Amino acid sequence: MTSEHVRGRLSEVRRAFHRHPEPAWCEFRTTCRLVEELRGIGVDELHVGRDAIAEDERMAVPDADTLDRWYERAREAGVDPGVLERLVGGYTGAVAVLERGEGPTIGLRVDIDGLHIEEAAGESHAPAAEGFRSETDGTMHACGHDAHVTVGLGVLEAVMASEFAGTFKVFFQPAEEESGGGKAMAESEHMDDVDCLFAVHVGLGHPTGEVVAGIVEPLAMAHITATFHGEAAHAGNAPQEGRNTIQAASRAVSDLYGIPRHADGATRMNVGRIEGGSASNVVADETTVWGEVRGETTALMRYMQDAFTRRVEAAAAAHGCTVDVDVVSESPRADSDPDLAALVADAARGRADVDTVHESAPFGASEDATFLMRRVQEADGLATYAVVGTDHPGDHHTPAFDVDERTLDTGVGVLSDAVLAAAEDHR
Ligand SMILES: [Zn+2]
């Protein structure tokens, strides 16, 4: 066990995670692999699976077949069966704890999941050219969460090797991409005593050498599905007997885009997927619409959510159908605390590999780290969401996304210095 177990091979560790991306709640192999690294580092407490989260608070959990498929894949890959067994049913993720005597409890939250995207295979895409492209078709680390896991491990190791006094916890959170894991992790008992929480993301349009100390104004969001139920009928013989769910869904979609703007601030609405019906000569008896709403504040998101529900219900009623509206997952708004962000900014300014430091910047997207941030802030603690810039050739969530690996060392350095400063400040 050396104090450079992870920090001496950050790229290698990141690439190993990059090769095997797993979607929300299916991070079986990822969790086993990160536990292996944590054992190499030698932490004082390690909580995995059901012990890492509030098990009843998971959102957007995939169906049992999907979970089984990914579980099997991890088993076949030869991961530690003892760890894997504890993740059965999609209870992925881990919380690692360092106990270093008297002092505050500082937390760091990183996310670990990948996306349903087919990774670029051309020579201009570094992971393909250098042999660490995703080995799982249709799944990709296209948002940098492979880098986040690596940074989380590196910071843990750096804090361990330092004079840090207090308790340090790293939250390896599953299912961020579906806004499904934040609440479950926020509600776990491991968050009870956290005085200061850091969360981190790479890139997001900020180039290598740039650091944002505290993101503000993330959009609160909710993923919603609406399933319309009607009555099938012969489209030629007896169309009047049918209750057409495609008609209801179509009306709902156009009405949804007509939800008025709100004077209090920005809102968003999107329908990204529709599935229903069986053939052109049959009145469709079931159609599902997948949508999402966002708002600058949690209240604005609720306004959109209510308006969404009213419109799909009205559209269903107009066509004699019924509709089940299901909020699959959601995340609130939370802003970084300037006092804690200032510690990240100070840590960043002290480094040769950082040339631009922003105290804060608007997010413009959504994140379920906000659940953890709010949990800490509501208990009078401090939280900040930092961005460590990275040159990324493709946008986030596209096949050509990649990170500049120099960012790994920058992220570990900035965050571990900020963690030490927070512990010092809180004494
Ligand atoms: Zn992300």
Side-chain angles (χ1 to χ4, degrees):
M1 233 165 277
T2 76
S3 63
E4 295 287 320
H5 174 74
V6 168
R7 284 175 297 162
R9 52 187 187 90
L10 288 172
S11 291
E12 181 195 321
V13 172
R14 178 253 163 171
R15 291 176 181 205
F17 285 114
H18 189 85
R19 240 181 235 126
H20 303 289
E22 295 165 308
W25 299 119
C26 298
E27 307 93 334
F28 298 110
R29 183 174 185 160
T30 305
T31 303
C32 292
R33 276 281 302 124
L34 76 88
V35 165
E36 203 178 309
E37 295 292 352
L38 290 167
R39 285 179 176 155
I41 295 170
V43 295
D44 298 313
E45 275 178 43
L46 184 52
H47 307 276
V48 298
R50 289 172 195 263
D51 295 339
I53 57 173
E55 52 180 292
D56 299 334
E57 302 291 347
R58 295 184 307 162
M59 296 186 283
V61 181
D63 61 45
D65 284 354
T66 305
L67 292 172
D68 284 351
R69 206 165 59 244
W70 287 94
Y71 186 90
E72 261 321 289
R73 210 192 283 256
R75 199 183 55 75
E76 281 163 16
V79 298
D80 182 332
V83 180
L84 184 61
E85 198 171 280
R86 302 176 62 184
L87 313 178
V88 173
Y91 294 91
T92 48
V95 180
V97 184
L98 286 185
E99 293 284 3
R100 288 295 179 272
E102 283 291 298
T105 299
I106 313 289
L108 169 66
R109 177 273 199 184
V110 292
D111 46 16
I112 67 172
D113 53 328
L115 284 151
H116 292 287
I117 290 177
E118 176 81 14
E119 182 159 17
E123 281 297 299
S124 62
H125 183 58
E130 294 176 40
F132 62 98
R133 181 179 178 266
S134 169
E135 291 175 21
T136 310
D137 291 346
T139 314
M140 176 187 177
H141 269 297
C143 195
H145 300 189
D146 49 341
H148 300 169
V149 183
T150 308
V151 167
L153 292 166
V155 173
L156 194 62
E157 190 179 81
V159 171
M160 191 167 173
S162 75
E163 301 289 293
F164 175 84
T167 302
F168 181 53
K169 300 182 175 183
V170 182
F171 297 87
F172 294 93
Q173 186 208 299
E176 187 277 331
E177 297 291 0
E178 305 284 339
S179 306
K183 189 169 190 212
M185 203 139 242
E187 299 294 324
S188 84
E189 63 196 20
H190 308 297
M191 284 292 296
D192 288 350
D193 60 346
V194 174
D195 299 301
C196 296
L197 179 79
F198 295 90
V200 63
H201 209 295
V202 296
L204 301 174
H206 298 277
T208 301
E210 211 169 292
V211 168
V212 182
I215 283 289
V216 292
E217 298 166 21
L219 297 171
M221 79 114 63
H223 294 283
I224 309 172
T225 60
T227 302
F228 295 87
H229 304 281
E231 184 87 44
H234 193 295
N237 266 349
Q240 74 284 357
E241 309 277 311
R243 289 183 286 123
N244 193 331
T245 56
I246 286 183
Q247 243 183 321
S250 314
R251 168 167 168 178
V253 172
S254 58
D255 284 358
L256 286 169
Y257 281 96
I259 298 173
R261 314 299 177 271
H262 197 296
D264 287 351
T267 54
R268 303 272 193 281
M269 199 298 297
N270 188 55
V271 173
R273 184 178 165 202
I274 299 184
E275 216 173 272
S278 54
S280 61
N281 58 357
V282 179
V283 172
D285 64 348
E286 192 177 298
T287 301
T288 301
V289 169
W290 283 261
E292 57 148 66
V293 295
R294 305 187 195 222
E296 197 178 314
T297 62
T298 309
L300 284 164
M301 182 269 280
R302 292 274 177 250
Y303 159 75
M304 292 300 288
Q305 202 178 323
D306 293 345
F308 188 107
T309 303
R310 271 201 310 282
R311 275 157 186 76
V312 297
E313 284 174 353
H319 292 280
C321 301
T322 58
V323 63
D324 292 325
V325 182
D326 186 23
V327 177
V328 180
S329 62
E330 58 177 38
S331 58
R333 161 149 173 194
D335 294 317
S336 296
D337 289 300
D339 289 352
L340 194 62
L343 302 183
V344 175
D346 286 347
R349 281 193 200 98
R351 294 183 60 91
D353 54 358
V354 175
D355 49 45
T356 311
V357 178
H358 303 283
E359 297 275 347
S360 78
F363 197 17
S366 303
E367 239 294 351
D368 69 357
T370 52
F371 276 114
L372 289 86
M373 294 170 72
R374 282 173 71 109
R375 174 87 200 274
V376 172
Q377 289 168 336
E378 279 162 10
D380 293 325
L382 298 175
T384 193
Y385 188 100
V387 177
V388 179
T390 196
D391 295 338
H392 49 86
D395 270 339
H396 287 262
H397 296 204
T398 68
F401 179 82
D402 189 22
V403 303
D404 176 351
E405 290 180 340
R406 287 178 296 172
T407 302
L408 300 170
D409 190 50
T410 311
V412 170
V414 169
L415 284 156
S416 51
D417 284 354
V419 167
L420 295 185
E424 196 66 34
D425 259 27
H426 247 73
R427 212 170 340 214

